[in-house]
């Protein structure tokens, strides 16, 4: 028996519930890139960390810079209720996207984290925007 199989797998109904929950709060770089490329962007993409200068140097195309510390009800009022937000940060070593997602959820806003952030975007070989 390996360490992989030492703990039995979950029954299918539990696995389905688990993965549906994860996918309800996460998306990945490839899916975001595909939505942007196809013109089917049905979300607002937020770059939620760093300074304006670092955002100008490198960000995901189509993203708006809104640091998580600036997310509040007043700032979010510029978007209609029900707007889906996709947030990302620097990468797996950063929790800025988690902080932004928590704030948005507390404001009653639909939100998903783009797992991998800038690091994941680079790992996928996807182009960055600047300016």
């Amino acid at each position: 028996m390996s360490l992989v199989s030492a703990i039995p797998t979950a029954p299918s109904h539990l696995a389905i519930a688990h993965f549906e929950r994860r996918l309800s709060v996460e998306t990945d770089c490839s899916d975001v890139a595909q939505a942007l490329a196809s013109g089917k962007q049905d979300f607002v993409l937020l770059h939620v960390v760093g300074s304006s200068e670092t955002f100008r140097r490198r960000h995901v195309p189509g993203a708006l810079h809104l640091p998580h510390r600036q997310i509040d009800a007043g700032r979010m009022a510029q978007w209609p209720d029900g707007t889906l937000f996709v947030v990302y940060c620097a990468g797996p070593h950063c929790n800025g996207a988690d902080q932004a997602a928590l704030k948005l959820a507390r404001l009653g806003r639909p939100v998903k984290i783009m797992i991998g952030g800038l690091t994941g975007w680079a790992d996928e070989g996807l182009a960055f925007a600047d300016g």
Side-chain angles (χ1 to χ4, degrees), residues 40-117:
K40 295 181 180 177
Q41 181 179 348
D42 54 358
F43 53 88
V44 174
L45 184 60
L46 297 179
H47 180 112
V48 297
V49 294
S51 67
S52 296
E53 181 181 315
T54 58
F55 176 77
R56 278 192 300 276
R57 276 197 311 258
R58 185 176 83 150
H59 59 273
V60 174
L64 303 174
H65 186 226
L66 181 57
H68 62 83
R69 288 178 179 87
Q70 296 176 16
I71 293 173
D72 60 27
R75 189 71 182 264
M76 303 317 293
Q78 64 185 297
W79 290 283
D81 289 342
T83 299
L84 172 61
F85 294 92
V86 173
V87 297
Y88 72 89
C89 59
H93 60 283
C94 177
N95 71 2
D98 296 285
Q99 292 184 48
L102 178 58
K103 283 185 172 184
L104 288 165
R106 284 180 171 160
L107 291 170
R109 297 304 193 124
V111 62
K112 290 189 176 196
I113 289 176
M114 183 180 80
I115 57 175

Side-chain angles (χ1 to χ4, degrees), residues 1-53:
M1 180 176 291
S2 73
L3 293 175
V4 173
S5 63
I7 297 173
T9 60
S12 293
H13 74 280
L14 291 179
I16 289 166
H18 170 78
F19 293 116
E20 283 180 341
R21 267 192 306 279
R22 281 192 63 182
L23 291 171
S24 75
V25 296
E26 296 177 351
T27 188
D28 68 14
C29 299
S30 178
D31 289 345
V32 169
Q34 191 278 330
L36 296 173
S38 71
K40 295 181 180 177
Q41 181 179 348
D42 54 358
F43 53 88
V44 174
L45 184 60
L46 297 179
H47 180 112
V48 297
V49 294
S51 67
S52 296
E53 181 181 315

